[in-house]
Each structure stands twice: as C-alpha cells, then as structure tokens.
Amino acid sequence: MQNDVAADGVCSSESVNGSRDVWSCKGSFSSSADHLVIMVHGILGSSSNWKYGAEQFVKRLPDKVFIHCSERNMATLSLDGVDVMGERLADEVLDVIQEKPNLSKISFVAHSVGGLVARYAIGKLYRPPKEEVKDDISGNGCKEEPRATIGGLEAINFITVATPHLGSRGNKQVPFLFGVTAFEKAASYVIHWIFRRTGRHLFLTDDDEEKPPLQPPLLKRMLEDYEECYFMSALRLFKRRVLYANVGYDHIVGWRTSSIRRESELPKWGESLNEKYPHIVYEEHCKACDSEQYETISTEDDGSSDKLEEELVRGLSRVSWEKVDVSFHNSRLRFAAHSVIQVKDEFMHTEGADVIQHLIDHFHT
C-alpha cells in the first residue's frame, strides 16, 4: 500500500491491485467522514481515471466523504461482461465497508459502462428491510420503520456520467458510426470480437448467450428485480439519481442513451448562462412515470425508436431522474468529450472542472 499526502490536505493510498482511496489528512475530518463514495471507471479504464474528481470531492467535503476508486474491473477485465463486473464491484464494495466500520451512507459516481456495472452491483448489494421493528426511544408511541440498505448503508446519490443506459445498438447511439444503418447492424455482429461479452451486453445481442430457455438481454433484465438481484428496488432506494450527458462530440456514447430520452424528448439547448458552470447547458428534473402515463406516450412519430429501446426508456423512467446536459462544443478538447466530462486526465481539468464542481456542489451528504 502506497500512501501519498498532498499539500492541500488530501491523503490518498493506492493498493497493489490498483484501487485508490482518498480522504482528508486532517484527523478530525477523516474520523467524522461517514459517507462512502464509490467511483467507477469505464471500459478499459483504471482507478486513476477518477483521480481529479476524487481529490475535488475531498477538498470540498473533507469531513463528509471517504472516496474509493474501484479497481476490480480495470483494463481488459472490463471486457468480461456487465454482470461479471457487477459481481466483482459488489464484492469490492463489501470489502471496503468491512474495513471502515464508521460508514453509514453510500453513493456511486460512475463513468460510461461503469454506470451499468454500478447498477448491476447495487442490485447485488441491496438488503431488504429487516422484519423486526425497533421501538421508538422518544416515548411518543411511534416505532421506527425498517429500511432497506445498500450493503448495510443508507443509499444517497446514484450518479452516472456519459453512461449508455439504453445500450449502444443502432439509432445513432454510437455517434462514430454516423447513424448509418448498415454500419450499426454490422457493429452488432462483430462488436464481441473487440469488446467481448461487454460488447454483447451493450449491443443487446446477449439474448442467445444462455442455454435454453433463452433470456432477454441483460439490460432488459435489469429493469426488474431479477432472481437474486434487486435491480430496480436498489435504484429506487437512492434519494437521488442523476444523469450527466454530452449533447454532442461524444463519439462513444450518444445523448439519448446517456440521458434516457426518446429522440423527440431531447431538449433544445443554447449557450450556458451560468458563469460558474459554463459547460452545463440544460438541467431537467424528471418525475417517475407510472404505467398509466406510458399509455399516453406515442412513439409513432419517432422513426428511430424500436421496441426494445422503448422498453428500456419506460422501465428506467419508473424512477425519477435529475438530467444534466453538458456541451464542450467551444472547447479545444471537444472531440474528447467522452473523457473530458470525467476529467479523465489532469490536463483536461481546465475544460471539465466545472462539470465536476457542479456534481459536487449538488451532491447530497
């Protein structure tokens, strides 16, 4: 274990496996920090991808948070499939919780495919309410209702950054395929050669992966509590769910899939009017949409929709979301928007720092 102490009061340690923990060097702050923040990288990534974001968290919330940057799915391990990665992440989170008995809250901040991995992991970490009800010690005759948890901790924020929640197949969901139908169809057939099982999950071609009887693609299964995975119960448990999405120049993950919207729902955006967050161009709070509301939504006017994508939109819209749209269209690094939104490398902080600042400023502790 290698420990580093920064001049600005931020301590960090890196394990031999590559995980990175970040906390305040001030003893009184570190002892009071009871909020575990799990930061998850994307495909072919590493724990260092969130280095800038993790340090900013501790600088601004030194007495509140303890940051763990995940390492169990680094590099080519991120090609093993969303489910396998989710299992690993869940185990990793439990190990951290066991080592830090003072923790009481948990949040996730995940980039790209890491957002899908985090959704799978919380389904495994979900703990239903215990049946026993505690007597209220205040003497007013009330009893404290039992609550579900994530790994025994109170679920607070679930935040994804440029995550393909609707998958990556067709309909301009992967911008570098230029929306050409032939390219998109070809990609769905060969993607597993490059990105293996993870590619199949992203392109929703894993429905024939299991032995008979055939199962729906994993991303569709994750719309419900499925077998021993409480996917939707866990997602619903968080006090807030947030989507950060690039409106353009993200050639890996399209705007619709990262913001869970239909084509007709994409908002018109203009230049940011907030000097503090110059790259935030639109914000929207979307309430949960019930089954009766689904019937009023028609997709006939949207030729880019397909049945499976619509099921994913509807399923994920059963919980509320805060949606934050980001644009780097005036940035010299705009063609690297998928990485800049995360500030994946130190030199990107001059462009993407305001997005990280927005994320932390609105973070519930």
Side-chain angles (χ1 to χ4, degrees), residues 102-169:
N102 64 310
L103 297 171
S104 62
K105 306 171 186 176
I106 189 169
S107 292
F108 287 79
V109 180
H111 178 246
S112 194
V113 174
L116 300 178
V117 176
R119 278 178 49 202
Y120 192 100
I122 62 173
K124 297 293 294 185
L125 291 166
Y126 179 84
R127 303 290 182 266
K130 295 181 180 178
E131 292 184 3
E132 63 269 18
V133 178
K134 296 181 180 179
D135 291 331
D136 179 51
I137 60 175
S138 65
N140 61 10
C142 298
K143 293 186 177 181
E144 182 181 341
E145 291 293 330
R147 296 180 179 178
T149 66
I150 298 296
L153 306 181
E154 183 182 4
I156 308 296
N157 308 271
F158 188 87
I159 303 170
T160 65
V161 180
T163 289
H165 289 285
L166 308 181
S168 302
R169 79 167 193 183

Side-chain angles (χ1 to χ4, degrees), residues 53-71:
E55 291 175 352
Q56 294 304 306
F57 254 110
V58 174
K59 287 178 183 178
R60 300 181 188 196
L61 303 170
D63 60 333
K64 304 292 186 183
V65 299
F66 178 87
I67 311 294
H68 178 80
C69 299
S70 173
E71 53 81 17

Side-chain angles (χ1 to χ4, degrees), residues 7-78:
D8 49 15
V10 175
C11 285
S12 65
S13 66
E14 187 170 346
S15 72
V16 292
N17 295 323
S19 67
R20 179 183 295 269
D21 293 333
V22 186
W23 68 96
S24 173
C25 294
K26 189 173 181 178
S28 59
F29 285 166
S30 61
S31 61
S32 64
D34 64 347
H35 194 150
L36 174 62
V37 181
I38 302 295
M39 306 192 82
V40 190
H41 60 76
I43 202 164
L44 298 176
S46 72
S47 60
S48 64
N49 295 160
W50 275 116
K51 181 177 184 295
Y52 177 82
E55 291 175 352
Q56 294 304 306
F57 254 110
V58 174
K59 287 178 183 178
R60 300 181 188 196
L61 303 170
D63 60 333
K64 304 292 186 183
V65 299
F66 178 87
I67 311 294
H68 178 80
C69 299
S70 173
E71 53 81 17
R72 297 281 173 94
N73 296 303
M74 295 197 301
T76 56
L77 291 176
S78 64

